Amino acid sequence: MTQQEFAEIASTIPTQPGIYKYYDAANELLYVGKAKHLRKRVSSYFSKTFTSYKTHELVQRIHHIEFTIVNSEQDAFLLENTLIKEFQPKFNINLKDDKSYPFIVIKKEPFPRVFFTRRRINDGSKYFGPYTSVVKVKELLDFIKQNILLRTCKLNLTDSNIKKGKFKVCLEYHLGNCKGPCEGLQTEEDYNEELNQLANLLKGNLSSVVQHFKKEMKDHAERMEFEKAQIYQKKIEHLLSYQSKSTVVNTSIGKVDAFSILEDGNIAYINYLAVSNGAIVQTKTIILEKKLEETAAEVLAFGIAQLRSTFGSDATELIVPFEIDYPETDIIITVPKGGDKKKLLDLSEKNVNYFKEDLRKKKMLNLEEKTADEKLEVLVQLQKDLQLPDIPVHIECFDNSNFQGSYPVSAMVCFLNGQPAKAEYRRYKVKTVTGINDFASMAEVVYRRYKRLIDEGKSLPQLVIIDGGKGQLSAAMQSIATLRGQDGSKPSAPNHPSSAGSLTVQNRLDSLTVIGLAKNEEEIFFPGDTQSIKLPWDSESLKLIRRIRDEVHNHGITFHRNLRSKGTFKNELEQVKGIGDATIDLLLKEFRSVKNIKLATVDELEKIIGKAKTKILTDYFKQT
């Protein structure tokens, strides 16, 4: 929509508060916005020059505009958030985490059950939550079970069913976890009182629950029921212990919501702490993606509305790091400078910073999600940890694979600039080795790989990882030494120009560092060293090495599986009539090669496959 086209409809735009919706020519919703004066707000998009390319692009795509008039700025604010959450227009702030959360429900039924659910049904039941962690919900339910006596069965406890004596108390009654409403041993009034205490506990109002238990304890003591009184005393101690652990600020603060925000480019992280009577009863950090030129205050206000809606907050005070325009009525906005509320805000900021840093560390395990700077950071750290002469921007890793001690193959993977370069992956059928010999197999494939790179004038890696211990590493170094011995001090492959083309083979191989990685302990060996080194288990360097190792494992196993499924592997045993695949697998698993099977005694063979099949096999060997 051009400025001239907009000018023709400007006078028709309402001047009341409301929301506006921008659509493109295909009638796709592009953007939803709120305004206390619709005409002024919408006109601003067509009367000023935007520095943001995205905003300029939005205006260019607008084909037509729709409006919804509401009674107040607050209503416009709430409607905007609802529409954004429902339709997720491409130019609005994007909530990147919008999954469903669990609830604790008090079911609407006689003697209501209390349980965990993800489905919220409008059947009159009471729902508490949502909660951000299933583990925490289950911990809370366990805590409730220890302190509030409620039934856990699914019986239909109508008054008529109870009077007819249809049910008998179960083990939970005898364990003291239920008062037996199924046999009429507990009145509905008494059961509802337990539910009231449950509701107080879920709302964080533990003092009311403690006072109720104190009254019960006193009543039992007055009736000389000291064992029952002692049970309530232990519950009180349990609750007070729970309260002392959960209280983080002064209990006089009451019910408040604390929010903090951390911006990183077009991504914003918002942390939410719901506090009731000094205890944190809910916590969540969300990620928002800014699309236009939204300020931190606008993003925070949007995030607050989303979080309060998701978690059903009715707190009337918001603690925030700076002033925001939050039009919801009867809400107090507090920007604390000191005291308990400032401590709460500091705690929220601590959480949002931890969340961002934790997310960054987790991304290190998946290099494709990293920025170029993050990838380089890991490689520099790896260079430092292994004391490499150069940053290992080119890494290769080798691994041998076999099936039940037979059919040897090898695989190689290549990582360039910290990420897989799958076009450079290689698979090798071992050619020069008879039987299973990991060391000889490793020597063969390492020689073949770098002989080819040298002949073709291609660059060699800065780091080679041999998946195995000292034996495999020594075998690989023998191949490197053989290649060095072939150096005639002539330029390598002059017809294949490369960055390494003018260097001798000796010089090129000298720039290559080879290490061995022990399979179980993740120890790293250097050639000639008697002692291994161990990197910290959570270091970014070891995480990268682990990923490369896992990649070469998967590459080799996939190759091996494909060859077996295609019938590429053939051996002499398959020619023996009366000897099936299952028997062959047993023999190879035990003896590891056909050669060893031929050398085995009759007694050794009979222990594995029995007399009949042993005779078939030995008769075949005698004829060949």
Side-chain angles (χ1 to χ4, degrees):
M1 181 177 289
T2 64
Q3 288 186 344
Q4 183 177 353
E5 290 172 330
F6 174 75
E8 295 175 358
I9 65 166
S11 60
T12 66
I13 299 175
T15 58
Q16 294 98 322
I19 61 102
Y20 53 94
K21 294 183 284 186
Y22 293 153
Y23 291 87
D24 63 13
N27 206 37
E28 181 182 357
L29 182 60
L30 298 173
Y31 185 79
V32 175
K34 68 179 184 302
K36 54 186 173 182
H37 192 294
L38 283 168
R39 186 180 300 175
K40 287 182 180 179
R41 179 65 181 130
V42 175
S43 297
S44 67
Y45 281 88
F46 297 90
S47 60
K48 66 179 182 180
T49 301
F50 289 97
T51 57
S52 167
Y53 168 77
K54 289 183 178 179
T55 308
H56 175 75
E57 180 68 17
L58 167 64
V59 174
Q60 293 298 309
R61 292 193 191 185
I62 296 171
H63 179 266
H64 60 279
I65 309 170
E66 292 183 2
F67 307 97
T68 301
I69 299 171
V70 295
N71 293 324
S72 65
E73 185 182 359
Q74 176 197 355
D75 291 342
F77 177 75
L78 297 175
L79 180 57
E80 177 199 38
N81 274 270
T82 301
L83 292 174
I84 291 174
K85 193 169 186 178
E86 181 177 356
F87 296 106
Q88 287 289 300
K90 63 175 62 178
F91 283 93
N92 278 103
I93 295 172
N94 180 26
L95 179 61
K96 299 183 78 66
D97 176 21
D98 196 21
K99 62 183 179 182
S100 61
Y101 299 103
F103 293 85
I104 292 176
V105 59
I106 300 178
K107 194 68 176 173
K108 185 182 180 183
E109 60 188 1
F111 295 95
R113 291 170 295 145
V114 177
F115 54 89
F116 157 91
T117 184
R118 285 188 183 274
R119 295 181 61 200
R120 189 167 185 170
I121 305 170
N122 294 323
D123 60 354
S125 300
K126 292 182 180 178
Y127 290 84
F128 293 86
Y131 298 92
T132 56
S133 168
V134 173
V135 174
K136 293 297 182 185
V137 171
K138 291 181 177 178
E139 287 178 358
L140 185 55
L141 286 173
D142 287 341
F143 181 77
I144 290 168
K145 185 176 180 180
Q146 296 174 46
N147 294 281
I148 310 292
L149 301 185
L150 299 170
R151 71 171 176 126
T152 56
C153 64
K154 297 182 180 180
L155 300 176
N156 184 14
L157 299 186
T158 61
D159 187 53
S160 61
N161 284 344
I162 294 172
K163 287 179 179 179
K164 290 176 183 177
K166 285 190 172 184
F167 313 115
K168 294 294 182 182
V169 293
C170 64
L171 182 61
E172 289 294 306
Y173 171 79
H174 296 292
L175 291 174
N177 296 328
C178 176
K179 294 183 178 181
C182 57
E183 283 193 30
L185 301 177
Q186 182 183 23
T187 65
E188 207 159 351
E189 180 182 0
D190 183 70
Y191 192 91
N192 288 336
E193 181 57 38
E194 296 283 352
L195 288 177
N196 288 336
Q197 302 314 316
L198 167 69
N200 283 325
L201 196 153
L202 292 175
K203 292 175 182 177
N205 189 11
L206 270 66
S207 58
S208 296
V209 184
V210 171
Q211 291 304 316
H212 171 73
F213 285 169
K214 283 183 177 179
K215 180 179 180 301
E216 291 289 325
M217 181 180 68
K218 183 179 179 183
D219 290 344
H220 285 299
E222 289 176 351
R223 294 195 296 268
M224 309 294 283
E225 298 170 343
F226 297 117
E227 289 185 2
K228 292 183 178 179
Q230 188 177 18
I231 291 173
Y232 279 99
Q233 184 180 10
K234 288 182 178 179
K235 288 185 177 185
I236 291 168
E237 291 171 356
H238 192 200
L239 284 167
L240 291 175
S241 174
Y242 180 82
Q243 186 177 40
S244 65
K245 291 177 182 177
S246 60
T247 301
V248 293
V249 290
N250 196 317
T251 56
S252 64
I253 283 183
K255 183 178 285 189
V256 298
D257 287 342
F259 298 91
S260 60
I261 183 172
L262 177 63
E263 293 186 287
D264 184 10
N266 67 327
I267 299 295
Y269 306 88
I270 296 179
N271 175 259
Y272 167 49
L273 300 179
V275 178
S276 179
N277 298 314
I280 296 175
V281 296
Q282 190 63 265
T283 178
K284 177 66 178 173
T285 301
I286 60 173
I287 306 172
L288 298 172
E289 182 182 7
K290 296 185 287 183
K291 297 296 184 68
L292 301 176
E293 297 176 295
E294 299 93 350
T295 65
E298 289 173 334
V299 175
L300 181 57
F302 174 83
I304 289 173
Q306 293 283 357
L307 285 162
R308 281 172 60 85
S309 171
T310 299
F311 295 101
S313 173
D314 58 359
T316 57
E317 182 178 6
L318 308 182
I319 297 174
V320 293
F322 44 76
E323 292 291 344
I324 61 172
D325 182 14
Y326 194 78
E328 191 174 340
T329 57
D330 302 323
I331 292 291
I332 301 171
I333 304 294
T334 302
V335 183
K337 302 300 180 184
D340 289 326
K341 292 181 180 179
K342 181 63 168 64
K343 290 179 183 177
L344 192 59
L345 180 61
D346 291 342
L347 182 61
S348 177
E349 291 176 343
K350 184 176 181 180
N351 274 275
V352 77
N353 279 281
Y354 175 83
F355 178 88
K356 178 178 179 293
E357 179 61 20
D358 186 55
L359 200 65
R360 185 189 71 82
K361 288 180 178 179
K362 287 177 180 177
K363 282 173 61 180
M364 290 292 186
L365 290 174
N366 192 345
L367 296 182
E368 282 87 349
E369 296 183 3
K370 289 188 200 157
T371 64
D373 289 341
E374 288 172 332
K375 293 171 188 173
L376 180 60
E377 183 182 337
V378 176
L379 295 176
V380 170
Q381 186 62 46
L382 181 60
Q383 178 193 13
K384 180 180 177 182
D385 290 343
L386 298 183
Q387 298 183 7
L388 304 176
D390 301 301
I391 298 174
V393 294
H394 181 176
I395 303 173
E396 294 186 352
C397 182
F398 293 83
D399 182 39
N400 293 331
S401 179
N402 60 72
F403 176 63
Q404 296 183 348
S406 188
Y407 313 145
V409 297
S410 293
M412 186 279 295
V413 298
C414 175
F415 274 56
L416 298 177
N417 297 311
Q419 64 182 9
K422 297 199 174 185
E424 296 296 320
Y425 284 16
R426 296 293 182 267
R427 295 165 168 175
Y428 299 93
K429 292 181 185 177
V430 178
K431 298 178 178 179
T432 62
V433 180
T434 302
I436 302 303
N437 187 327
D438 275 351
F439 303 154
S441 297
M442 186 63 72
E444 177 188 323
V445 296
V446 168
Y447 179 86
R448 286 167 59 184
R449 170 64 176 170
Y450 297 118
K451 177 70 164 63
R452 179 148 190 169
L453 290 184
I454 290 169
D455 288 346
E456 293 179 354
K458 293 182 178 179
S459 61
L460 301 182
Q462 288 83 32
L463 177 64
V464 176
I465 301 172
I466 304 299
D467 189 40
K470 293 181 180 179
Q472 285 90 341
L473 176 61
S474 297
M477 293 309 298
Q478 288 174 11
S479 294
I480 301 297
T482 300
L483 289 169
R484 282 197 178 99
Q486 295 174 358
D487 181 14
S489 298
K490 297 177 182 179
S492 177
N495 295 326
H496 297 81
S498 72
S499 59
S502 61
L503 299 176
T504 65
V505 173
Q506 177 75 44
N507 289 336
R508 294 174 64 190
L509 289 170
D510 284 345
S511 65
L512 182 150
T513 299
V514 186
I515 62 171
L517 179 65
K519 290 181 180 292
N520 295 326
E521 301 295 329
E522 293 184 333
E523 295 176 287
I524 294 172
F525 293 91
F526 282 85
D529 286 356
T530 57
Q531 298 293 324
S532 65
I533 65 170
K534 278 190 175 182
L535 300 179
W537 69 272
D538 59 344
S539 70
E540 303 305 332
S541 299
L542 188 56
K543 288 176 184 176
L544 174 58
I545 290 173
R546 281 195 200 112
R547 183 169 182 231
I548 296 172
R549 176 202 60 195
D550 292 344
E551 186 75 3
V552 77
H553 279 183
N554 293 335
H555 189 51
I557 290 170
T558 302
F559 178 43
H560 212 288
R561 186 181 298 119
N562 290 341
L563 288 176
R564 295 203 310 270
S565 65
K566 293 175 182 178
T568 304
F569 287 129
K570 296 290 182 184
N571 66 63
E572 192 175 353
L573 299 181
E574 293 174 348
Q575 312 304 318
V576 184
K577 291 182 179 180
I579 301 295
D581 291 341
T583 303
I584 293 172
D585 287 345
L586 285 173
L587 289 167
L588 289 174
K589 187 174 182 180
E590 179 66 24
F591 299 105
R592 303 182 67 83
S593 71
V594 175
K595 180 181 179 181
N596 289 338
I597 294 171
K598 289 180 177 180
L599 295 173
T601 66
V602 172
D603 289 340
E604 289 173 335
L605 292 172
E606 286 180 350
K607 287 180 182 179
I608 304 301
I609 60 175
K611 289 184 178 181
K613 291 182 179 178
T614 297
K615 187 175 186 311
I616 293 172
L617 197 60
T618 53
D619 288 346
Y620 174 81
F621 287 153
K622 289 176 183 177
Q623 297 171 7
T624 58

